[in-house]
Amino acid sequence: MRESGARTVVVFASASLGEAFEATARSFEDSEPGVDVVLHTAGTPRLVLQLREGAEADVFASADTVQMERVVALGRAASKPRVFAGNSLALAVRSDLQPPLAGIEDLARDGLRVLLCGPKVPAGRYARQALGRAGVAAVGSRSDEPNVRALLAKIELGEADAGIVYATDARRAGVRPASSSRASFVTIEPEHNVTVQCPIVALRRDDAAKPKPSADAFLAFVRSPRGQSILASHGFQAP
Amino acid sequence: MTSTRRNVPKLLWLPAALAALFFALPLVGLALRAPWRELLQLLSGTAVFDALILSLWSSLLATLLSLLLGLPLAAWLASTRSVAAVLVRVLVTLPMVLPPVVGGVALLLVYGRGGFVGSWTESWFGAALPFTSAGVVAAATYVAMPFFVLTVEGGLRGLDPRPADAAATLGARPLRVFVTVTLPMLLPSLRAGLLVAWARALGEFGATITFAGNLAGTTRTMPLAVHVALEDSPDKAMALSVVLVLISAGVLFVLRRQWFPTLRRDAEVRS
């Protein structure tokens, strides 16, 4: 049961921020004894839906600014959102794909099974931007995957040949030997790549005028050198 | 034979009313919050039409497959008490008990390109089920057929054996007995089984999105379309939900005699 005491911070974070925020939350709890962080991650549009239907959260961290703007439009943001981290895209490729892919333009290869996230999912939106920049906007997905993890799972299982994921997912998979043997990652050239901006904001609960002090403290921690180094260790870039 | 009115203990009225309310309230909620004035506008567009058509034909095909494969299986299960039958019945019941997503993962591991059936079809026919409409039918059949098999098996076990025995005594071979004697007596169970299988196939989501994928026109059935719409345009999701509810309620009403025993008995009494 979620407690709504002053010493609990409920954080809604997009799925791509999952592990990084787990580490951030533990570190924050260490530095602020008595404060509990309750972390809830999901695909960003799903989080926005829950917030719109009145979910009680204190902090919202998004994978893109479009979804953040929807939360601001709900009137739940306590202040102006701030970008706290950056990310970029990478290609995920089935390890035994022959011939191997050299870059994002190779996604246009005949008969290649490509997977992208749905167009409203941040990762899917960014992916289509990158494809446009690389001149291969016509590349389509076999399925609009609901989030990057589902997409990666299908590539690891060999159901698809390639897909566009976050650079942090590439970093995360490299740390887990079992799956990384079946999926490898190819960098996307900076001129085709997209700068992902992750904003964060403290939320008002119901008709309270201000967010909880612990929510502001969490935000400050995320943007502090310690918080930033945790994010960097998970592959995120500085804002 | 008239239906007798049984006396329901008054103690049960309140829980029964609460139960009825539990089922009615979600529909009331949908009716209250649905965007009725913009309904037609929200439902216009090929995406909705594609999802509806795909849902209808894939669920009907899954129901047909459930009949063609499930009836022989039900007949066999009803005819024996062997250990093999017990094991097979567990296998058949499993998709009903497993979360549909797990069913989808299991289907992927076998019929996907990396699975032993899928890699075989891939090398011989150049295609596998994931990301195809055929995959939608496969996922729907996997979750729906158990309902058909168990309903029909129950029906077979409940049949009076004397007509079939009499026919056999008169010299009819097993197949003729089955087709001319057993099947006509089985019709109510068959209709109920087909209806519940179709309903389950129509509503399938977890196995479909995991195994077949989510692509407009090819694999995005109505439940998937609701899921996609929910995160982007809740009004559209409500409009699609209203359509699904109306279709399901409509079919149940049209087939009410198959579904509600008292209506059927009263109809038979009158005829």
Side-chain angles (χ1 to χ4, degrees):
Chain A
M1 273 249 283
R2 213 179 276 158
E3 302 147 39
S4 52
R7 305 305 279 169
T8 308
V9 186
V10 177
V11 177
F12 276 22
S14 83
S16 59
L17 294 162
E19 277 95 355
F21 262 44
E22 296 251 359
T24 308
R26 302 292 88 82
S27 185
F28 174 72
E29 283 173 341
D30 288 340
S31 73
E32 299 259 345
V35 178
D36 266 330
V37 176
V38 175
L39 182 62
H40 171 55
T41 58
T44 320
R46 176 59 45 120
L47 293 173
V48 174
L49 170 68
Q50 291 170 339
L51 288 172
R52 188 180 50 233
E53 292 303 313
E56 296 201 328
D58 301 304
V59 174
F60 173 56
S62 170
D64 78 357
T65 48
V66 170
Q67 297 295 334
M68 177 58 82
E69 274 158 32
R70 294 174 71 195
V71 170
V72 170
L74 291 173
R76 294 209 46 180
S79 59
K80 198 158 159 326
R82 309 276 286 273
V83 175
F84 70 98
N87 205 344
S88 59
L89 302 177
L91 286 184
V93 185
R94 193 167 53 88
S95 293
D96 44 358
L97 181 68
Q98 290 300 332
L101 296 185
I104 188 174
E105 321 80 34
D106 289 349
L107 286 181
R109 188 188 295 173
D110 254 349
L112 198 68
R113 294 163 194 250
V114 177
L115 282 185
L116 304 172
C117 285
K120 299 289 199 279
V121 179
R125 202 169 63 79
Y126 291 130
R128 286 166 175 84
Q129 276 176 17
L131 289 169
R133 285 188 179 190
V136 285
V139 170
S141 175
R142 295 272 168 145
S143 167
D144 288 340
E145 292 298 316
N147 57 65
V148 174
R149 300 295 155 86
L151 196 163
L152 254 183
K154 291 200 175 168
I155 293 180
E156 286 167 1
L157 286 173
E159 296 313 315
D161 298 318
I164 298 184
V165 301
Y166 287 118
T168 44
D169 295 299
R171 167 80 161 257
R172 184 180 135 264
V175 176
R176 296 177 331 176
S179 59
S180 65
S181 63
R182 287 171 293 174
S184 36
F185 298 89
V186 175
T187 43
I188 297 179
E189 302 303 310
E191 60 263 21
H192 300 146
N193 213 326
V194 172
T195 312
V196 173
Q197 299 209 303
C198 302
I200 193 170
V201 77
L203 299 172
R204 268 193 285 257
R205 282 223 189 183
D206 306 320
D207 40 9
K210 295 165 71 147
K212 287 183 196 164
S214 43
D216 283 329
F218 185 78
L219 250 67
F221 182 81
V222 165
R223 295 170 53 228
S224 71
R226 173 103 191 90
Q228 290 288 302
S229 77
I230 294 176
L231 291 164
S233 71
H234 282 87
F236 286 90
Q237 295 152 18
Chain B
M1 188 166 46
T2 52
S3 56
T4 54
R5 173 153 306 173
R6 296 192 190 97
N7 281 325
V8 176
K10 290 206 174 63
L11 196 60
L12 295 182
W13 284 4
L14 182 59
L18 286 174
L21 210 58
F22 185 63
F23 286 112
L25 282 180
L27 295 178
V28 170
L30 182 61
L32 286 176
R33 289 187 67 177
W36 293 104
R37 275 179 307 187
E38 296 97 11
L39 205 71
L40 287 175
Q41 186 195 346
L42 286 165
L43 293 174
S44 67
T46 49
V48 174
F49 183 76
D50 287 346
L52 189 57
I53 296 296
L54 177 64
S55 267
L56 286 176
W57 77 255
S58 64
S59 59
L60 287 173
L61 191 52
T63 310
L64 179 65
L65 284 175
S66 297
L67 173 67
L68 295 175
L69 294 174
L71 183 55
L73 183 59
W76 176 68
L77 284 173
S79 71
T80 167
R81 291 189 187 276
S82 66
V83 172
V86 171
L87 286 176
V88 170
R89 192 174 299 111
V90 169
L91 287 177
V92 168
T93 316
L94 219 49
M96 288 168 69
V97 174
L98 284 177
V101 162
V102 175
V105 169
L107 288 171
L108 203 56
L109 293 174
V110 173
Y111 299 103
R113 288 172 65 201
F116 58 86
V117 174
S119 55
W120 181 84
T121 61
E122 182 78 15
S123 52
W124 276 92
F125 306 112
L129 287 175
F131 310 125
T132 64
S133 302
V136 174
V137 176
T141 309
Y142 180 76
V143 298
M145 187 160 37
F147 289 88
F148 177 79
V149 170
L150 293 182
T151 305
V152 170
E153 190 204 338
L156 278 168
R157 283 186 186 274
L159 285 184
D160 181 356
R162 288 172 300 180
D165 287 345
T169 314
L170 291 170
R173 291 208 313 277
L175 182 64
R176 187 166 175 194
V177 172
F178 187 74
V179 172
T180 57
V181 177
T182 312
L183 276 187
M185 287 167 62
L186 198 55
L187 276 182
S189 282
L190 279 177
R191 282 193 289 247
L194 288 174
L195 184 63
V196 73
W198 175 76
R200 182 66 190 88
L202 187 69
E204 175 44 41
F205 172 81
T208 310
I209 197 170
T210 309
F211 178 60
N214 177 20
L215 190 62
T218 313
T219 56
R220 186 172 298 163
T221 54
M222 282 291 271
L224 266 63
V226 172
H227 173 81
V228 168
L230 196 58
E231 294 175 350
D232 180 48
S233 162
D235 279 355
K236 189 163 176 188
M238 283 190 272
L240 291 168
S241 303
V242 164
V243 171
L244 272 177
V245 168
L246 288 177
I247 291 178
S248 309
V251 171
L252 283 176
F253 182 75
V254 164
L255 295 177
R256 63 194 179 280
R257 293 228 172 83
Q258 266 55 260
W259 204 223
F260 299 114
T262 50
L263 285 175
R264 188 168 69 237
R265 270 214 297 276
D266 292 345
E268 283 164 10
V269 166
R270 274 186 245 121
S271 66

